[in-house]
Amino acid sequence: MALSAVIEADRVSSALCDQPPSGAGHNDAFSFWKLPHDWKSALESTIAESKAVAEYYLFEEYLAREDRRPPSRMQAYYRIKNLIPAVLRHRLNSAAVRMRGRRDFPHWPFETALTDYWRDWMQLSLRSVNATDGWHIGFWPDGLKCCIVLTHDVEGPLGMSRMERMADLEERYNFRSAWNLPLSQYEIDWKLIDRLRLRGFEFGAHGLCHDGRLFRSESDFSALAPILQELAHSHGLSGFRAPSTLRRAEWIGKLSFDFDCSFSDSDPYEPQPGGTCSVFPFFLANLVELPYTMPQDHTLIHLLRRSPTQIWAPKARWIESLGGMILTLVHPDYCGSGRNLKEYETLLKQLSEFESAWRALPSEVSSWWRRRDQMKLTVDGDGTPSIEGPGSERAVARMLSSEPLAR
Ligand SMILES: [Zn+2]
């Protein structure tokens, strides 16, 4: 079946389950590339279709509807989770993942379906406007070529006790990171958080706790979301990541956060497997979605029993080669000491050597992606580009031929 037919059939069923609108910004290919405004009328007929194709991937619409929500078997797991020692739990999870088998799509650790689509659309568009090259608004501010975002979820007191040590290490390589906290799972040392904030680190909400309840049912969501939001706002947290990345896109879109990081580009190993196929931000209702694009430490160390560097190094290079967003998810609980911390340092060293990379906090990327979406590119008669709109002083027009993603 042609992709467009698959999308159409799926859209009809999606309409019944309140699929998230892209809301605050645009996910179509013209807006992704930010091409010259006077090309828009010539490309108009392809723009609506490109949004449908992109969101088919971005909102995981290629999955059956029941696979776009937390699996029901998780309820039984959460009833007994706290009775199982952590070491045994990792072993059981590892065995369960192996038995489950992997889907063919999205491919792991690299999936090119959406990047291929962006490139093909661009090539066809150049032909439509009789051009071999053209300007676009660069994906990142100041003409930088890729983006690096470091994030952590702090799963328990052990992780919290290791935060400063990890933060010291990141500072040594001139990085700052974002830490997501489950707001009612254990006692949070807010004085420590304040100290790290003063050093330029950022904090987000990792739900209330890892009990699988937030997105389990409409009544759970209605009861818990207001508590979560109030707690998060009282602590000045504007970002969200769902505990265990158990998620429902249409409900995340209803949360009053600035951005979300609950989706991956490709992660077949989470309790709710899937992936957006995107190594760039996108819009999810009124939120900016920042998918994590590097495999989780927990997956590599505990489930696959692999050395993280073996997977992290080529994945980071691949995203950098596309000019995309390298967004890590590393837990201080698992990677905050010993050999695993050394592996994390190896990653930081590699990332610090990427030239022309924007080292940004999630809130900065969210703000940039919203502003870039509002900008307008015009090219005057002698071919000089100019960019208008909020934040345009940091935007740089780049030739498509200089973008690896376009070639
Ligand atoms: Zn977590």
Side-chain angles (χ1 to χ4, degrees), residues 35 101 131 156 169 184 209 239 245 262 308 323 329-330 367 395 406:
L35 296 173
L169 185 64
S184 23
C209 60
T245 71
S262 304
L329 168 44
V330 173
S367 168

Side-chain angles (χ1 to χ4, degrees), residues 17-172:
C17 72
D18 191 21
Q19 195 59 31
S22 31
H26 303 88
N27 290 327
D28 63 86
F30 190 87
S31 306
F32 173 76
W33 284 105
K34 298 298 292 183
L35 296 173
H37 192 68
D38 64 1
W39 287 12
K40 193 163 186 176
S41 55
L43 301 175
E44 200 73 66
S45 61
T46 68
I47 293 177
E49 187 189 311
S50 74
K51 176 177 183 287
V53 174
E55 291 184 350
Y56 173 76
Y57 299 115
L58 298 174
F59 297 160
E60 301 180 317
E61 289 175 10
Y62 58 84
L63 292 171
R65 202 191 314 170
E66 62 270 21
D67 293 331
R68 282 180 247 157
R69 58 183 62 165
S72 49
R73 64 183 148 71
M74 292 304 291
Q75 294 178 28
Y77 170 76
Y78 280 113
R79 277 199 289 274
I80 57 164
K81 180 185 161 194
N82 290 336
L83 304 173
I84 312 171
V87 176
L88 181 57
R89 207 163 63 223
H90 293 317
R91 275 200 206 134
L92 291 173
N93 287 342
S94 176
V97 162
R98 277 169 223 265
M99 277 162 53
R100 189 170 73 200
R102 246 170 58 194
R103 293 170 193 272
D104 294 336
F105 185 87
H107 194 261
W108 184 88
F110 307 89
E111 174 52 62
T112 64
L114 185 55
T115 49
D116 290 346
Y117 177 72
W118 294 137
R119 179 181 296 115
D120 292 348
W121 184 91
M122 169 53 61
Q123 293 299 328
L124 285 171
S125 298
L126 282 172
R127 262 176 259 154
S128 301
V129 297
N130 292 319
T132 53
D133 202 353
W135 295 101
H136 85 127
I137 301 178
F139 292 114
W140 309 113
D142 309 320
L144 295 168
K145 290 182 186 156
C146 69
C147 176
I148 300 171
V149 185
L150 306 179
T151 76
H152 310 280
D153 295 344
V154 188
E155 307 293 76
L158 177 66
M160 182 145 279
S161 71
R162 294 169 168 178
M163 286 169 71
E164 274 182 312
R165 193 162 165 204
M166 275 185 105
D168 292 345
L169 185 64
E170 289 169 349
E171 270 186 340
R172 221 174 295 149

Side-chain angles (χ1 to χ4, degrees), residues 202-262:
E202 179 171 296
F203 292 85
H206 191 30
L208 290 168
C209 60
H210 291 73
D211 60 2
R213 276 189 66 200
L214 184 57
F215 296 111
R216 185 172 63 180
S217 68
E218 200 149 9
S219 59
D220 281 310
F221 181 74
S222 302
L224 297 175
I227 300 169
L228 165 67
Q229 288 169 159
E230 196 179 322
L231 264 175
H233 296 165
S234 71
H235 290 290
L237 311 176
S238 60
F240 173 74
R241 179 177 285 130
S244 309
T245 71
L246 293 171
R247 60 199 180 274
R248 294 200 194 206
E250 67 275 23
W251 294 356
I252 287 180
K254 290 176 180 167
L255 291 173
S256 62
F257 287 98
D258 174 47
F259 60 89
D260 173 65
C261 305
S262 304

Side-chain angles (χ1 to χ4, degrees), residues 189-386:
D189 179 354
W190 289 104
K191 288 205 172 92
L192 166 64
I193 306 307
D194 287 342
R195 282 202 301 280
L196 288 169
R197 271 189 170 136
L198 285 173
R199 289 163 61 181
F201 292 86
E202 179 171 296
F203 292 85
H206 191 30
L208 290 168
C209 60
H210 291 73
D211 60 2
R213 276 189 66 200
L214 184 57
F215 296 111
R216 185 172 63 180
S217 68
E218 200 149 9
S219 59
D220 281 310
F221 181 74
S222 302
L224 297 175
I227 300 169
L228 165 67
Q229 288 169 159
E230 196 179 322
L231 264 175
H233 296 165
S234 71
H235 290 290
L237 311 176
S238 60
F240 173 74
R241 179 177 285 130
S244 309
T245 71
L246 293 171
R247 60 199 180 274
R248 294 200 194 206
E250 67 275 23
W251 294 356
I252 287 180
K254 290 176 180 167
L255 291 173
S256 62
F257 287 98
D258 174 47
F259 60 89
D260 173 65
C261 305
S262 304
F263 290 79
S264 62
D265 66 328
S266 168
D267 194 342
Y269 297 109
E270 281 293 80
Q272 185 182 334
T276 64
C277 308
S278 181
V279 291
F280 288 86
F282 59 92
F283 293 98
L284 173 60
N286 289 315
L287 285 75
V288 174
E289 179 61 41
L290 305 171
Y292 63 92
T293 57
M294 293 282 279
Q296 295 189 36
D297 56 341
H298 167 265
T299 303
L300 299 171
I301 297 165
H302 292 301
L303 299 188
L304 302 180
R305 312 216 182 113
R306 304 269 293 263
S307 153
T309 310
Q310 285 176 352
I311 307 287
W312 280 341
K315 182 83 191 265
R317 266 198 305 277
W318 177 70
I319 300 171
E320 189 233 1
S321 75
L322 292 171
M325 176 176 68
I326 298 164
L327 194 148
T328 66
L329 168 44
V330 173
H331 303 77
D333 312 71
Y334 311 127
C335 258
S337 73
R339 195 179 57 182
N340 293 338
L341 189 62
K342 282 261 169 245
E343 295 251 15
Y344 185 52
E345 180 168 10
T346 304
L347 173 65
L348 292 177
K349 188 166 182 308
Q350 180 195 8
L351 297 178
S352 71
E353 287 164 1
F354 286 165
E355 287 175 13
S356 197
W358 183 34
R359 301 178 184 196
L361 293 167
S363 63
E364 294 173 313
V365 181
S366 171
S367 168
W368 163 256
W369 206 252
R370 285 180 195 277
R371 286 167 174 231
R372 181 178 179 271
D373 187 64
Q374 296 297 311
M375 291 176 200
K376 186 171 153 189
L377 172 66
T378 48
V379 181
D380 70 14
D382 68 1
T384 307
S386 64

